[in-house]
Amino acid sequence: RTVDKLLAAEIEQAKAEQRDLEIRLSAYEKQYNMPSEEFYRRFRSGELGDEMDFVEWSVFYEMYQALLERLRLLGATA
């Protein structure tokens, strides 16, 4: 029972982080009129510059992907 409560708390915290990251990613997507997946692919391939916005966007995208994996491992739907 205690483990279930801890797991539920971890999932809830991860989902709150997910919502925050989705808001941040959405802001960049609107500003640059590009989905994060496309941005990240282009950024990693060197097609885009190394502006601070792009560096931050890539970090948020990586955090988001790691968070989705964490939720998957916790058995939560992302």
Side-chain angles (χ1 to χ4, degrees), residues 1-73:
R1 194 159 219 188
T2 301
V3 172
D4 289 341
K5 287 182 182 180
L6 289 172
L7 183 59
E10 177 67 20
I11 290 170
E12 191 58 38
Q13 178 183 353
K15 286 189 175 191
E17 291 174 29
Q18 179 185 11
R19 289 186 294 272
D20 179 59
L21 286 168
E22 286 172 347
I23 290 168
R24 291 174 184 266
L25 291 173
S26 178
Y28 284 111
E29 290 172 351
K30 287 176 184 165
Q31 181 177 350
Y32 292 100
N33 195 31
M34 183 185 326
S36 289
E37 297 83 10
E38 179 184 345
F39 155 75
Y40 191 73
R41 179 186 55 76
R42 293 179 64 194
F43 179 74
R44 296 290 291 171
S45 72
E47 289 180 47
L48 303 174
D50 59 354
E51 295 178 38
M52 184 54 75
D53 270 4
F54 292 160
V55 173
E56 288 178 357
W57 191 359
S58 72
V59 169
F60 289 138
Y61 183 76
E62 290 171 355
M63 290 170 60
Y64 184 72
Q65 293 303 310
L67 183 61
L68 292 179
E69 178 63 13
R70 187 166 114 212
L71 283 166
R72 187 189 68 75
L73 292 172

